[in-house]
Amino acid sequence: MTAPDNLRYTPDHEWVRLEGNMITVGITDHAQSELSDVVFVELPDMGDLEKGAACAVVESVKAASDIYAPLSGEIVEINLDLVADPAKVNTDPYDGGWIFKMRLDDVSQVDALMDASSYTSLVR
Amino acid sequence: MVSFAGWELPVMYSSILAEHETVRTSVGVFDISHMGQIFVSGEKSQKWLDALLTNDVSNLEIADAQYTFLLNESGGVIDDLILYRLDETSFFLVVNAAKINEVTEWFDRHLLEGITYENESSEWAGLAVQGPRAPEIYTRITGGRCLPAKYGVDDVTHEGARMIVCRTGYTGEDGFELFCSARAASGWFQVLMDEHVVPCGLGARDTLRLEMCYPLNGNDLTEERTPLEAGLGRFVAFDKEVEFLGREVLLRQKEEGVEYRLMAIQLSERGAPPRAGYPVLGDEDQVIGHLTSGALSPSLGVGIALAYLPRDVVKIGSSVKIEVRGQGLPAKVVKKPFYQH
C-alpha cells in the first residue's frame, strides 16, 4: 500500500492534494485495493458542499461506497475520464483516478486532515 | 471476508473480475465447505425422498445427481439442493449452509420407521473446481482417475480416505465438486494450488451463477415463492408415483398460471451495477417489483439482475427501468440465461 507524503488523508480513505485554494480528491490505494474492480463512479454535482456530505459513489463489483466531501467548499471540476474508464481508480489512484476538485474558502481546514504517516498507521 | 451462516468466507482472493474470467476460460477453485452434507438410507428411502422432494427420485439412476426442491406445505422453497444416488437405498444430499437446520428439522418432522439420516456437515469439507480445464486437473491430482459423466457421482476411496466426487457446480462451466473429510481438505487445496488452480471467492461465485440465472437461496428463492414462480418447473415432477409435499399448490399454479415470475433483466447501457433490493419500474415509473439479485456481468459488461415481476405487466422483450439512487436506468426483460457458451 502506498500513501504519498505530499497528500493529506481522511478517516474515510480519501486523499486530498492542496494547490493554492483548490483541492483534488480521490480514494487511497488502500481503499481501492479493499474495493477491488471499480466498475462505476457516480460523479458529484457542481456546487457548494459541507464537510462530510456524501457527494459521489464508487462502485466495485462487490459493493457501492459513498465518497464524502473531505472539507467544506465548492465542487468546481469532476474527472469525466472515469465515465469511460472507472478502473483508473484502481490502476492510478493518486493521479489519473482523481474524482473531483473543490475550491476552499478556508484553506486552513486542510491542517485538520491526517498526514501520510498517521494515515498509514490507521490502516496498518 | 464476510460472515455467512456462521462461517467466515472470502469474497475474493485477488479480483472478482479476474477470478470470474479464470473460471470461464481456465480453472478456479471455490471452498464450499460451508455447504451441508446429509446422508439418507433405508429400504424405503427412495419413496420417502420422493414424498419430500419435487424431482422424480425413482428416475434417478445410481451414481447420478438431481437438482431438486424441498418445499413447505404451501409450495414455498425451504431449500434447493442436489441429490446424489449412491446406491439403491442410499442417497447423499448437498444442502445450503444456511438451511441445514431447516432441512434436518423437516426430516425429523416427517421421519418414518426404517429411514435414517446423518447430518455429517461438520465432518465434511468441499472444494468446487470449476472451468474448462477442471477434468484435466482432476486426472492429474488423482494420478489418472477420470471424472464421472456430467451430473454423475463417484463415491471412492482414494489413498485410504473416502471422497465423493460430483460432476456438478454452480458456475455454468464444466467441473467437479470434491467432498472429503475436513482433515483432508487443506491437503487437497494445496495440491490444487500447486497445479496453479486459481482460488476464487464468493464474489465470483455470485457473478458466475447469476450469468447462468442459477437462483441463490435466500435471495431468489424463499419460503414465500414456489419453484414455478422461480421459473424452475422443470425440476418438479407432477406425475411421479409418490405425491410430494406442496404439490397441490403447485398444481393449481400450473393450471391457472402464476401471477409473478422470476425474470431476467439486462441493463441497456453500461452504468451503475444493479443490486438486490433496487426497485424495478414499469411504463409509468410505478414500482412493479424489487431485484432479488443484481450485479455487473463480467462476461457481458452490463448490469444483470433477477426480480419477481407481474406476468400481466411484463414479458420477455418488455422495457423496464431499474431505479438506482433515484434514477431510472433503462433495461429489458430478456431470455434466461444471460450468458451463452
Side-chain angles (χ1 to χ4, degrees):
Chain A
M1 189 215 62
T2 63
D5 283 336
N6 60 336
L7 304 180
R8 293 300 189 108
Y9 299 89
T10 75
D12 300 315
H13 310 287
E14 288 140 5
W15 55 262
V16 170
R17 177 186 292 122
L18 178 69
E19 286 156 305
N21 66 343
M22 294 273 280
I23 56 168
T24 307
V25 180
I27 66 168
T28 64
D29 188 29
H30 170 79
Q32 73 74 22
S33 130
E34 285 290 302
L35 287 172
S36 167
D37 301 324
V38 172
V39 294
F40 181 76
V41 179
E42 188 162 297
L43 295 163
D45 296 327
M46 302 294 177
D48 289 330
L49 277 181
E50 287 294 314
K51 175 180 175 174
C55 64
V57 183
V58 173
E59 298 220 36
S60 67
V61 180
K62 65 175 173 179
S65 309
D66 283 325
I67 304 299
Y68 304 94
L71 300 168
S72 299
E74 183 191 0
I75 296 204
V76 291
E77 200 179 334
I78 53 178
N79 185 359
L80 293 170
D81 289 350
L82 298 181
V83 175
D85 191 7
K88 273 192 173 164
V89 173
N90 295 121
T91 54
D92 196 9
Y94 295 116
D95 196 7
W98 66 277
I99 298 171
F100 57 88
K101 295 186 183 183
M102 292 180 93
R103 185 183 298 127
L104 306 182
D105 292 331
D106 174 11
V107 174
S108 71
Q109 297 179 82
V110 175
D111 299 337
L113 299 176
M114 281 179 277
D115 62 13
S117 70
S118 312
Y119 179 69
T120 306
S121 46
L122 175 79
V123 298
R124 188 177 291 137
Chain B
M1 301 291 276
V2 64
S3 295
F4 181 78
W7 297 74
E8 289 292 310
L9 293 175
V11 174
M12 62 183 179
Y13 289 84
S14 55
S15 141
I16 295 173
L17 293 178
E19 291 164 20
H20 180 107
E21 172 73 8
T22 297
V23 172
R24 286 271 179 260
T25 58
S26 180
V27 61
V29 56
F30 303 86
D31 183 347
I32 55 164
S33 301
H34 56 290
M35 299 199 77
Q37 290 80 22
I38 299 174
F39 292 83
V40 172
S41 60
E43 208 54 46
K44 295 192 169 134
S45 51
Q46 176 242 302
K47 281 208 160 140
W48 184 70
L49 287 168
D50 252 333
L52 292 176
L53 302 172
T54 57
N55 224 330
D56 189 351
V57 185
S58 71
N59 251 342
L60 182 62
E61 307 269 351
I62 293 169
D64 257 347
Q66 220 172 40
Y67 179 70
T68 189
F69 298 102
L70 181 77
L71 305 181
N72 60 28
E73 286 94 341
S74 43
V77 176
I78 296 173
D79 199 15
D80 63 326
L81 55 101
I82 299 188
L83 175 72
Y84 302 90
R85 188 168 207 160
L86 300 180
D87 62 42
E88 197 55 40
T89 58
S90 74
F91 296 86
F92 172 56
L93 289 76
V94 176
V95 307
N96 280 296
K99 296 293 174 165
I100 297 170
N101 290 341
E102 277 90 338
V103 172
T104 55
E105 276 166 25
W106 200 251
F107 280 5
D108 285 338
R109 201 188 311 172
H110 297 277
L111 209 55
L112 294 179
E113 210 178 300
I115 303 290
T116 54
Y117 81 84
E118 302 290 337
N119 172 15
E120 296 190 8
S121 301
S122 46
E123 287 94 76
W124 288 79
L127 298 173
V129 180
Q130 301 281 298
R133 289 186 53 225
E136 137 204 350
I137 293 292
Y138 181 69
T139 301
R140 282 168 52 166
I141 64 172
T142 54
R145 280 181 191 277
C146 278
L147 278 178
K150 209 161 186 198
Y151 303 111
V153 52
D154 263 354
D155 184 0
V156 293
T157 303
H158 182 75
E159 291 171 359
R162 184 181 183 191
M163 66 180 194
I164 301 180
V165 180
C166 314
R167 188 86 173 259
T168 43
Y170 193 47
T171 62
E173 297 302 326
D174 196 357
F176 61 95
E177 296 173 302
L178 185 157
F179 296 99
C180 59
S181 76
R183 220 171 326 124
S186 62
W188 278 117
F189 199 81
Q190 191 53 54
V191 165
L192 291 163
M193 294 301 100
D194 294 344
E195 291 288 337
H196 307 293
V197 176
V198 174
C200 299
L202 275 193
R205 193 166 163 78
D206 191 54
T207 53
L208 287 157
R209 69 92 194 168
L210 185 55
E211 286 185 348
M212 300 308 298
C213 293
Y214 295 157
L216 173 64
N217 198 315
N219 278 45
D220 311 309
L221 298 175
T222 70
E223 294 210 29
E224 284 70 49
R225 297 288 188 189
T226 72
L228 297 196
E229 290 172 296
L232 297 166
R234 63 189 180 282
F235 302 107
V236 178
F238 284 102
D239 300 328
K240 65 180 176 179
E241 203 182 322
V242 183
E243 285 194 12
F244 59 88
L245 223 57
R247 180 177 181 271
E248 269 170 55
V249 177
L250 266 56
L251 196 59
R252 197 172 342 118
Q253 283 188 340
K254 191 187 177 196
E255 282 158 5
E256 295 170 8
V258 294
E259 204 178 327
Y260 284 83
R261 177 165 287 163
L262 188 66
M263 299 196 197
I265 309 168
Q266 186 168 328
L267 283 174
S268 306
E269 295 156 20
R270 221 194 151 93
R275 300 190 191 276
Y278 287 2
V280 183
L281 310 179
D283 271 352
E284 286 146 16
D285 284 350
Q286 78 282 24
V287 176
I288 55 170
H290 290 86
L291 302 185
T292 51
S293 288
L296 176 99
S297 159
S299 303
L300 305 177
V302 294
I304 56 173
L306 297 173
Y308 284 95
L309 299 178
R311 286 179 67 217
D312 57 343
V313 179
V314 289
K315 55 181 193 296
I316 290 172
S318 296
S319 294
V320 294
K321 284 178 194 157
I322 294 176
E323 189 183 315
V324 182
R325 294 182 286 274
Q327 204 190 346
L329 305 182
K332 266 203 159 51
V333 176
V334 298
K335 208 167 166 283
K336 298 175 187 175
F338 296 105
Y339 179 79
Q340 310 264 5
H341 283 84

